[in-house]
Amino acid sequence: MSYEKKLMAMKSLVKKTKSVEETVEAFKKPPAPTYEKRWLTTGLKKIENDFGIVYKRVIHYPLSHTHGAIRLGDVQEKLKSWTETGYAHPLSPKAGKLLFFDTETTGLKGAGAVIFLIGLLELKANEFIMTQYVLPNPDHEAAFLYASELWREDLTLVTYNGKSFDFPQLQTRWSLHRKQLPMLPVPHQVDLLHGSRRIWKGQMESFKLTEVERKQLGFHRKDDIPGHMAPIIYQDAVKNGRAEILMKVMWHNEWDILSLVTLFSLSTDIVLDEESQENAQVATNIAKWFQDLGLTEQSYTELQRIAQMYGTSYPLTHYHLGLVLKRYKEFERAVQSFEIVATYGKGREQILAYEELAKLYEHQLKNLTHAYERIHSGKSLLKKQRNLPKRFIERMENNFLKREIRVRNKLFPGQAQKATEDQEQL
């Protein structure tokens, strides 16, 4: 092909590209739904923006309002407590607007799951204000998302499983309207589900919000809908205009968000105030959380306090204290802690304590006889285990075997040399 023909071919491509761009239609604001009047009779308010129509419900709560056994206004003091800690923690908010946030969706995940209700609660000077935004239908989704103002900068969202579900779902829906909407920043998030699992590990079998409400917050729902019914009710409200049944979903979402406020207050108390820690297990969970966050000093202080207060009644405290003491090179005290676990503990923690004792006696205290004894005690205990995971048992058997061979060779070097010579002769 000649140079001129190549130019003509390229020119025709440019024309085609331009014609495609010219056919892109501008955004058209969708009309109001036919059932609008019926929806407005429930107390919902209509708001409009450049992208369509949204309905909202606004509720005001005085600071004295109680939800379960906890006063909403108590959260003011808890926020102040976090500013005074001097360290970062997964439960501590950042500067900026604080919003308690929850959504209701038509499905659990995927691009086909639509958010149809966004609930936000904000603490003002003398009250709380909750705003619930309802999606009229998918045509108005851009208007619905924009009205939430979650595109604002410097937000802290307090959620329950929001990091794994609510906010990723919001990002998915937002991306479908990225040409119309402002960019969605990633806010600071305080996920109370993760916090609840850390605080009440070993205390609760289920961490559904309704279970946490019942067992920890003193709140019992009456006439609540099951969560899986929410999308069915919404779809019926859109199809048949029956907004009165949609109010059941609104109340469900309202209770979820009020529980976020009281759960945040209670969680803050348990983490920052030792008098709020109901037993050794919860207190140790908090100290272990500090340790995992790299806040070793806080963990060390708490573990020493718990060990002194509860003695040997909860051996796992002494296991974690032993690890911190070992890090601080206080080997004699670490041995004392692990010996308590080896004596009073059970299952996994007891076996791990024997391994830690074998390490300390072999490498730090240079007492090979004690190291050998702890290895054999650990091996004997391991043989009796029936409920521990198979992988853990196999790993510990291998660890004890390698350690036993090494310690035995140090204790009886002549026997090791003779065994090597006999092997060579064969």
Side-chain angles (χ1 to χ4, degrees), residues 60 81 85 118 134 139 205 208 210 217 219 243 256 325 384 403:
H60 297 258
S81 297
T85 58
I118 293 176
V134 188
D139 292 342
E205 294 182 0
K208 289 182 178 180
T210 50
L217 303 179
F219 178 66
D256 283 351
L325 289 167
K384 301 175 183 178
R403 197 167 298 282

Side-chain angles (χ1 to χ4, degrees), residues 116-378:
F116 65 85
L117 175 59
I118 293 176
L120 300 167
L121 183 140
E122 183 179 2
L123 171 62
K124 297 291 188 178
N126 298 309
E127 65 174 348
F128 290 88
I129 300 178
M130 182 184 295
T131 307
Q132 295 172 302
Y133 298 94
V134 188
L135 176 68
N137 59 49
D139 292 342
H140 296 269
E141 188 174 38
F144 167 72
L145 296 173
Y146 184 82
S148 71
E149 296 195 354
L150 290 168
W151 44 270
R152 301 285 186 189
E153 298 282 352
D154 300 323
L155 297 181
T156 290
L157 300 183
V158 181
T159 69
Y160 200 81
N161 199 31
K163 279 189 175 181
S164 300
F165 179 74
D166 296 84
F167 194 75
Q169 191 67 26
L170 183 71
Q171 288 176 308
T172 298
R173 302 313 305 176
W174 208 280
S175 67
L176 300 176
H177 305 278
R178 57 186 175 273
K179 291 182 179 180
Q180 290 82 38
L181 298 178
M183 184 180 69
L184 179 67
V186 177
H188 178 66
Q189 297 182 66
V190 175
D191 195 324
L192 297 176
L193 171 60
H194 298 171
S196 296
R197 285 173 173 164
R198 295 300 302 241
I199 292 169
W200 292 294
K201 181 180 179 180
Q203 298 273 295
M204 296 181 62
E205 294 182 0
S206 170
F207 285 93
K208 289 182 178 180
L209 182 57
T210 50
E211 281 296 295
V212 176
E213 289 172 344
R214 186 172 62 85
K215 292 185 177 180
Q216 308 299 338
L217 303 179
F219 178 66
H220 301 265
R221 301 192 183 209
K222 293 182 179 180
D223 302 321
D224 187 27
I225 61 164
H228 69 271
M229 289 295 295
I232 299 172
I233 291 172
Y234 171 71
Q235 289 164 359
D236 183 46
V238 170
K239 183 178 180 180
N240 301 312
R242 298 174 60 200
E244 62 277 5
I245 63 169
L246 186 61
M247 295 309 296
K248 292 180 179 291
V249 182
M250 309 284 278
W251 296 329
H252 176 87
N253 179 259
E254 179 183 355
W255 290 332
D256 283 351
I257 295 173
L258 291 177
S259 291
L260 295 180
V261 181
T262 54
L263 181 56
F264 177 81
S265 291
L266 178 61
S267 300
T268 297
D269 273 345
I270 293 174
V271 171
L272 300 182
D273 181 10
E274 60 191 49
E275 293 183 2
S276 299
Q277 298 166 3
E278 57 191 84
N279 54 49
Q281 186 172 40
V282 168
T284 302
N285 288 345
I286 301 304
K288 176 63 165 54
W289 199 0
F290 282 134
Q291 189 175 323
D292 293 342
L293 293 170
L295 300 170
T296 308
E297 279 298 323
Q298 286 87 345
S299 178
Y300 182 37
T301 301
E302 284 299 294
L303 288 169
Q304 289 188 107
R305 178 187 65 80
I306 301 163
Q308 185 176 5
M309 178 179 292
Y310 293 97
T312 61
S313 63
Y314 190 62
L316 193 57
T317 302
H318 296 272
Y319 178 78
H320 293 304
L321 178 58
L323 293 176
V324 176
L325 289 167
K326 182 179 174 182
R327 184 179 301 174
Y328 284 161
K329 301 188 184 305
E330 296 188 39
F331 301 125
E332 294 282 359
R333 290 184 62 199
V335 164
Q336 292 175 12
S337 292
F338 289 126
E339 290 286 11
I340 289 173
V341 185
T343 304
Y344 298 100
K346 57 184 179 180
R348 182 188 182 96
E349 67 193 46
Q350 193 177 20
I351 292 168
L352 290 172
Y354 277 119
E355 183 184 34
E356 290 297 332
L357 285 167
K359 292 177 185 177
L360 287 166
Y361 280 126
E362 178 187 357
H363 300 296
Q364 279 75 39
L365 302 185
K366 308 300 181 183
N367 190 327
L368 296 176
T369 301
H370 280 14
Y372 199 67
E373 290 173 353
R374 299 308 180 274
I375 291 167
H376 273 270
S377 295

